[in-house]
Amino acid sequence: MPAQLDHTIVHSRDRFASARFLTELIGAAEPKEFGPFAAVPLANGVTVDYADSIVPGDRIIMQHLALLVSEDEFDEIFGRIVERGMPHWAEPAHRGPGQINHRDQGRGVYVDDPDGHAIEFLTRTHVLDG
C-alpha cells in the first residue's frame, strides 16, 4: 500500500489566528484544539495542524501548502480573497500580482497567511512527467 499523508504541522505565531485564516478562506468549520495544535481537517482526511512557534520571537520558516479544490470551491475562495482585498499572485515567489494561473487546464492562485506561509489553491493537480 502506498503511503498517504495523514497530517502536517505548520508553525505559527498564533495557531488559532493562522488556522482561522485557512478555515475562513475555504469555508470550513472553526479549527479544533487538539493537544498543542489548532487542527483544520480537510475533505480527504488530511489534517493541517497549526502549532505555536516553540521559541517566542523565533523566525517562522515559510512553508507551502497546496490545496486541490473544485471549480466551484475555487470561485468561492477566490471571491473571498478579492472581497477582502487580499494580495494574491498567479505564481510562487509573488509573481503575477493580482492574477491567477491556468496551469494544466485548471486555475490556481497563491496567498500568504499571517505568518508568510504560501497557500496555493488549484483546481487541477500538477501533472508529473514520467
Side-chain angles (χ1 to χ4, degrees), residues 34-100:
F34 180 71
F37 306 110
V40 179
L42 301 177
N44 61 350
V46 173
T47 303
V48 178
D49 294 329
Y50 285 89
D52 289 332
S53 181
I54 299 169
V55 180
D58 232 8
R59 188 173 142 242
I60 303 284
I61 304 298
M62 189 277 286
Q63 292 177 258
H64 175 102
L65 297 174
L67 301 174
L68 183 63
V69 298
S70 71
E71 291 288 341
D72 289 341
E73 289 166 330
F74 186 91
D75 289 339
E76 292 171 9
I77 291 165
F78 189 66
R80 291 179 190 113
I81 290 168
V82 170
E83 177 182 291
R84 294 173 187 181
M86 295 172 60
H88 58 279
W89 301 270
E91 302 295 334
H94 297 168
R95 290 191 308 263
Q99 300 172 31
I100 66 171

